[in-house]
Structure formats: C-alpha cells, structure tokens
Amino acid sequence: MSTTLAAPVDRLLYKPEEAAEALSIGRSTVYELMAEGALKYIKLGRTRRIRRADLEAYVDNLTPLPN
C-alpha cells in the first residue's frame, strides 16, 4: 500500500495561525504585527484574513542585519 502526500494548497487568504506557520513566527507575533499596522489584513465578518500578497510584501520589506 502506498501513501501519497497531497501538495500544499496555494492559498490566497491565510488565517493568522496559518500566516504564522508560513512566516515561521508565533501566532501572537502575527496579531501584534497586525495591531501595529506592519502586517495588513482584511476582516470578513468576525474573522481576520491575511492576503498572500500582504505576507509577501511584509517579507520583502524586512531589512536584513549587516554581518
């Protein structure tokens, strides 16, 4: 019997928990970034979602530290 792994879904919207996993940071850090405006999000009813483009923009704006 063979086991097949499903390919990861290329999402357009992420829950904060999923965004935290994608960024390899903690969930509470994602909420802090959203609260201070560093990470944009949208509200759908009572839920918050983060667009993939906003995750990519956040990462693109990070400044690497000098060696």
Side-chain angles (χ1 to χ4, degrees), residues 4-59:
T4 356
L5 296 175
V9 177
D10 191 19
R11 299 178 186 271
L12 295 175
L13 295 174
Y14 290 81
K15 296 177 185 175
E17 294 79 12
E18 296 166 338
E21 185 176 336
L23 294 172
S24 298
I25 59 176
R27 180 183 64 96
S28 59
T29 304
V30 169
Y31 281 104
E32 289 172 9
L33 291 170
M34 289 190 299
E36 62 191 34
L39 182 58
K40 294 180 183 178
Y41 65 94
I42 59 172
K43 286 194 77 169
L44 295 172
R46 293 175 39 191
T47 63
R48 296 177 190 159
R49 295 293 184 261
I50 303 161
R51 298 181 309 164
R52 180 178 58 216
D54 291 328
L55 283 175
E56 292 170 351
Y58 172 74
V59 172

